[in-house]
């Protein structure tokens, strides 16, 4: 697939290239017209010079005693002569020439009017019934220099204009795109759980239809997700009472039956009902984790919440060693909803107790920077499995009961509040074990 291109850059470069091209075309046109006008001007000066010199030359030649001797007009002061001339008779004999004239550069045959050689432009006119001919020459280099000077003068501004035009078009395009950029930033900065309509203020007509379609899509997605969540939550809630009733009845029945195959079957039924009860509880948690309301308006101290949950877990798991390392006399205030935080911690602790080696401790720590770590001894989980554990119903330890929902719930909460969760196996500083780290430092305190 072609790599995406920046529209701003493409427009900036395109506009600059367009302006430069137009400028060059205008420059070439101006040079073409100027060259023609300059040639006309130079030609008329050349002809004028010939017509001015001719009468003087005629007088000079007529007054001369020895006509066979060519005469060279001396220059009064050394200067770079633009014009040189030759006065010849009808046979081509040179009668008069300017002091710096080289006869070899002139036309050898008589050409009336204007003519050009590789190096000079000539004008020839005649007098006294075509017996005297004057040919004035001007070096073409003078004309070329003039036109080159003009081209350079017109090109200079272009060197300044190209970068200015590029910066100017980029700034203008950026200014015109300000609402599109604001729209992009808003879409980019949203968390995955925010499905509210994106603001469309000031968007240009070309984009507004896309933005409207995106908002319609978000709306449909939100309604679909809401109905899925409410279905999960409602079903789990509706299941609670019948499951609790069935559990109570089976426990009562067990007391009435003495040991034997019927009692064994009843114990199995009780285990299944307990599993069902756990499933409905996890489904309720998942519905909460994936719904909104994971952030509260008030701030709560995560360290004291964590200590309370750990104490509670210690009480319900008397034989288990659970260590807790927290910064002393410090609080970590956060806007995360206390219920959501409790569900997250309980799921992670439940995993550490359930999947960890039973006689080994569970080590919990919470740093003053807001990083929670829960580590336990366990056999190493391969990396391929580790990356999939946060998906629903994915499990790697099948020796204990579970649905594979705990880490999916934890992941939904962590993502929903804007924190990050990483798993490592083996745990840091060990050869085996499992460690989960949740970084709360990014959440607005
Ligand atoms: N602390 C841990 N130590 C070792 N393995 C773990 C730990 N936590 C999770 N795992 C592995 O990740 C898998 C997925 O965990 P998850 O919490 O999603 O499901 P579960 O604990 O098996 O079931 P549930 O939480 O729904 O009762 C577990 O089956 C287990 O293999
Ligand atoms: Mg679990």
């Amino acid at each position: 697939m072609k790599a995406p291109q920046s529209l701003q850059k493409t427009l900036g470069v395109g506009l600059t290239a367009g302006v430069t091209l137009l400028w060059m075309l205008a420059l070439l046109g101006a040079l073409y017209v100027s060259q023609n006008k300059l040639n006309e001007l130079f030609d008329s000066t050349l002809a004028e010079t010939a017509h001015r010199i001719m009468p003087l030359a005629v007088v000079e030649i007529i007054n001369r005693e020895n006509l066979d001797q060519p005469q060279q007009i001396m220059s009064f002061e050394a200067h770079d002569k633009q014009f040189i001339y030759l006065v010849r008779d009808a046979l081509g004999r040179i009668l008069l020439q300017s002091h710096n004239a080289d006869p070899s550069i002139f036309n050898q045959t008589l050409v009336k009017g204007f003519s050009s050689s590789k190096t000079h432009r000539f004008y020839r006119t005649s007098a006294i019934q075509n017996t005297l001919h004057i040919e004035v020459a001007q070096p073409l280099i003078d004309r070329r220099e003039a036109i080159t000077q003009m081209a350079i003068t017109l090109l200079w501004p272009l060197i300044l204009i190209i970068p200015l035009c590029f910066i100017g078009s980029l700034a203008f395009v950026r200014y015109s795109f300000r609402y599109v950029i604001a729209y992009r930033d808003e879409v980019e900065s949203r968390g995955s759980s925010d499905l509210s309509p994106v603001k469309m203020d000031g968007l240009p007509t070309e984009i507004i239809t896309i933005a409207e379609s995106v908002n319609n899509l978000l709306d449909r997605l939100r309604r679909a997700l809401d109905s899925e969540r409410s279905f999960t939550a409602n079903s789990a809630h509706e299941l609670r009472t019948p499951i609790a009733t069935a559990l109570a009845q089976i426990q009562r029945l067990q007391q009435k039956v003495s040991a034997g195959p019927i009692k064994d079957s009843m114990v199995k039924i009780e285990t299944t009902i307990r599993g069902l009860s756990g499933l409905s509880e996890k489904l309720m948690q998942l519905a909460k984790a994936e719904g909104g309301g994971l952030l509260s308006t008030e701030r709560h101290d995560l360290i004291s919440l964590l200590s309370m949950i750990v104490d509670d877990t210690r009480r319900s798991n008397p034989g288990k060693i659970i260590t807790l390392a927290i910064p002393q006399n410090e609080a970590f205030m956060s806007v995360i909803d206390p219920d959501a935080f409790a569900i997250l911690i309980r799921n992670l602790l439940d995993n550490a107790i359930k999947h960890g080696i039973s006689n080994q401790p569970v080590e919990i720590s919470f740093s003053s920077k807001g990083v929670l770590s829960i580590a336990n001894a366990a056999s190493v989980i391969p990396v391929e499995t580790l990356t999939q554990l946060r998906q629903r119903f994915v499990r790697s330890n099948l020796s204990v009961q579970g649905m594979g929902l705990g880490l999916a719930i934890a992941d939904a909460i962590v993502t929903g509040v804007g924190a990050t969760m990483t798993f490592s196996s083996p745990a840091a500083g060990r050869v085996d074990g499992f460690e989960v780290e949740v970084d709360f430092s990014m959440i607005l305190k």
Side-chain angles (χ1 to χ4, degrees), residues 195-299:
L195 295 176
S196 62
V198 187
K199 274 193 240 123
M200 304 191 294
D201 300 343
L203 279 183
T205 43
E206 290 85 353
I207 309 279
I208 208 149
T209 25
I210 303 177
E212 276 169 1
S213 309
V214 167
N215 277 351
N216 286 341
L217 206 65
L218 280 177
D219 188 47
R220 272 161 49 201
L221 191 64
R222 192 179 59 245
R223 275 188 279 139
L225 285 177
D226 281 351
S227 69
E228 188 204 284
R229 268 182 225 127
S230 66
F231 177 76
T232 318
N234 289 340
S235 331
H237 188 72
E238 292 301 322
L239 278 174
R240 251 186 183 174
T241 325
I243 289 173
T245 318
L247 198 60
Q249 279 175 352
I250 202 82
Q251 280 167 347
R252 216 177 311 133
L253 274 177
Q254 272 184 54
Q255 286 164 4
K256 293 183 184 164
V257 180
S258 47
I262 298 181
K263 175 113 180 171
D264 292 346
S265 302
M266 282 182 170
V267 171
K268 277 188 194 148
I269 294 171
E270 192 197 339
T271 316
T272 313
I273 296 175
R274 277 192 196 284
L276 260 179
S277 162
L279 176 62
S280 78
E281 186 56 37
K282 293 263 166 175
L283 285 177
M284 294 254 288
Q285 289 182 2
L286 191 63
K288 176 171 170 65
E290 290 185 339
L294 296 177
L295 297 176
S296 74
T297 43
E298 283 168 41
R299 301 185 320 146

Side-chain angles (χ1 to χ4, degrees), residues 27 31 146-156:
L27 183 85
L31 281 182
I147 206 76
T148 317
Q149 286 281 321
M150 191 175 287
I152 291 172
T153 317
L154 289 173
L155 261 175
W156 260 111

Side-chain angles (χ1 to χ4, degrees), residues 116-419:
S116 302
S117 74
K118 273 187 186 152
T119 54
H120 285 77
R121 178 86 169 151
F122 304 102
Y123 180 76
R124 179 187 289 244
T125 184
S126 42
I128 324 181
Q129 278 127 30
N130 284 345
T131 53
L132 285 181
H133 301 274
I134 182 164
E135 194 166 28
V136 185
Q138 185 191 25
L140 283 177
I141 196 155
D142 290 347
R143 302 182 179 211
R144 288 191 195 121
E145 257 174 25
I147 206 76
T148 317
Q149 286 281 321
M150 191 175 287
I152 291 172
T153 317
L154 289 173
L155 261 175
W156 260 111
L158 199 60
I159 295 169
L160 202 72
I161 275 176
I162 292 176
L164 270 183
C165 181
F166 185 66
I167 295 167
S169 5
L170 264 189
F172 182 70
V173 170
R174 218 180 154 73
Y175 175 75
S176 318
F177 269 67
R178 64 198 185 285
Y179 292 117
V180 180
I181 293 169
Y183 180 77
R184 179 203 63 188
D185 290 347
E186 202 195 320
V187 172
E188 216 172 42
S189 65
R190 302 187 146 218
S192 56
S193 55
D194 185 359
L195 295 176
S196 62
V198 187
K199 274 193 240 123
M200 304 191 294
D201 300 343
L203 279 183
T205 43
E206 290 85 353
I207 309 279
I208 208 149
T209 25
I210 303 177
E212 276 169 1
S213 309
V214 167
N215 277 351
N216 286 341
L217 206 65
L218 280 177
D219 188 47
R220 272 161 49 201
L221 191 64
R222 192 179 59 245
R223 275 188 279 139
L225 285 177
D226 281 351
S227 69
E228 188 204 284
R229 268 182 225 127
S230 66
F231 177 76
T232 318
N234 289 340
S235 331
H237 188 72
E238 292 301 322
L239 278 174
R240 251 186 183 174
T241 325
I243 289 173
T245 318
L247 198 60
Q249 279 175 352
I250 202 82
Q251 280 167 347
R252 216 177 311 133
L253 274 177
Q254 272 184 54
Q255 286 164 4
K256 293 183 184 164
V257 180
S258 47
I262 298 181
K263 175 113 180 171
D264 292 346
S265 302
M266 282 182 170
V267 171
K268 277 188 194 148
I269 294 171
E270 192 197 339
T271 316
T272 313
I273 296 175
R274 277 192 196 284
L276 260 179
S277 162
L279 176 62
S280 78
E281 186 56 37
K282 293 263 166 175
L283 285 177
M284 294 254 288
Q285 289 182 2
L286 191 63
K288 176 171 170 65
E290 290 185 339
L294 296 177
L295 297 176
S296 74
T297 43
E298 283 168 41
R299 301 185 320 146
H300 301 272
D301 176 19
L302 297 191
I303 296 178
S304 56
L305 275 173
L306 179 68
S307 317
M308 264 159 44
I309 301 164
V310 171
D311 285 344
D312 203 32
T313 313
R314 279 186 185 132
R315 270 195 295 279
S316 43
N317 297 277
K320 192 78 191 172
I321 305 164
I322 303 175
T323 65
L324 175 65
I326 44 175
Q328 289 306 305
N329 306 323
E330 256 188 66
F332 187 87
M333 304 303 287
S334 174
V335 288
I336 180 168
D337 178 62
D339 285 344
F341 183 71
I343 294 176
L344 168 71
I345 304 296
R346 280 189 205 287
N347 272 293
L348 297 179
L349 278 182
D350 176 53
N351 277 353
I353 294 165
K354 197 161 76 171
H355 303 294
I357 299 172
S358 54
N359 55 359
Q360 299 286 314
V362 173
E363 291 163 7
I364 309 166
S365 71
F366 195 98
S367 77
S368 49
K369 285 187 178 150
V371 181
L372 165 82
S373 155
I374 300 178
N376 58 272
S379 39
V380 175
I381 300 174
V383 186
E384 313 85 68
T385 319
L386 211 59
T387 52
Q388 292 176 353
L389 288 183
R390 54 185 90 210
Q391 289 172 20
R392 294 177 194 181
F393 304 110
V394 173
R395 310 186 65 219
S396 81
N397 177 13
L398 303 176
S399 61
V400 287
Q401 226 192 1
M403 272 69 66
L405 286 177
L407 291 183
I409 295 166
D411 186 54
I413 294 175
V414 162
T415 321
V417 299

Side-chain angles (χ1 to χ4, degrees), residues 6-25:
S6 157
L7 195 55
Q8 292 186 63
K9 207 169 128 193
T10 313
L11 282 175
V13 172
L15 285 173
T16 310
V19 169
T20 312
L21 200 72
L22 283 180
W23 185 279
M24 293 297 271
L25 283 178

